[in-house]
Amino acid sequence: MNSMIDSAIDGTTGGTMKVAVAKYTIDAPRDFDAFALKQAHWLDEARQQGANLAILPEYLSLELGATFDDATRGDLHASLAAIQAYHGRWLDLFAQLARERRMHVVAGTFLLDLGRGRYRNRSYAFAPDGSHVWQDKLRLTGFEKRAGVIEPGDALKVFETGVVRGAISVCYDSEFPLPVRAQCEAGARLLVVPSCTDTEAGATRVRVGCLARALENRCFVAQAVTAGQAAWSPAPDVNTGEAELIAPMDVGLPHDGMIVQTRGQQHWAVATLDFDALEASRAQAQVANDRDWASQYFPSVARAKVAAFAR
């Protein structure tokens, strides 16, 4: 495979990083310890494949709803309130897992109560020293709006990995070009997309969004997904899609943008991404949407006008 995508170097030396994205099967853990053990097993599997960065999906915290009684876990509002008791342990768990495995971990998302009974869909990224940063989801889906208690975030962030600057775009956010563009203009070259979709149409929308963001910004995109069914849950009840690593579609890169995808029961899609080679690829680019982005900004195309047919 082209060295821009998969090299023989295992690690982060020389501008490369081996990235693993999860096709994460939703289960019904009996308690937090069972959930923690599952996370350890999944991250061990990614680490054994050489991953320096592992990405888990959106709504990961809602799996913890299964640890409560039937009435609580079957009610979205009740389960959101109940899982708040786990937030501190969640942070401690993923900090420990990142330290022990000496890897970066994006721990999906946690629906966090900020103290007003309003929840932010927050994605935490943990560094190998156990420290963390976070990005809130900015745009709400119809499901999240109907819930009546989830609110959008109000800030964009990027973060350092020691090899490349990354950014998180939670599921639906990846379908909007301007916020991602702002993150890439702030130096992000890896877009991390924790997602959860319950229909083929939803999975397609997020995949197309990821492909478009890779094309526009000449960046790699890493999308994690939920899988399986959780009849006990009002949220991640049905799950559809494949985890994937995506590149811009250009010379020396996959013609369809797909570096690697999960298939069937596969847990992780893994590849080594070469960010130095990605940067250098502009020199041989057939097109360079990222370089030509500013050409959109001129007065005569700021607003379209109706044109009359004339003879």
Side-chain angles (χ1 to χ4, degrees), residues 295-308:
S295 66
Q296 302 175 86
Y297 301 136
F298 54 95
S300 61
V301 299
R303 188 178 301 274
K305 297 183 291 186
V306 177

Side-chain angles (χ1 to χ4, degrees), residues 26 29 37 86 97 138 157 160 166 175 177 230 252 311:
I26 298 293
L37 184 62
Y86 291 135
L97 293 174
L138 301 180
K157 301 180 180 182
E160 302 285 358
E175 298 175 34
R311 293 184 182 277

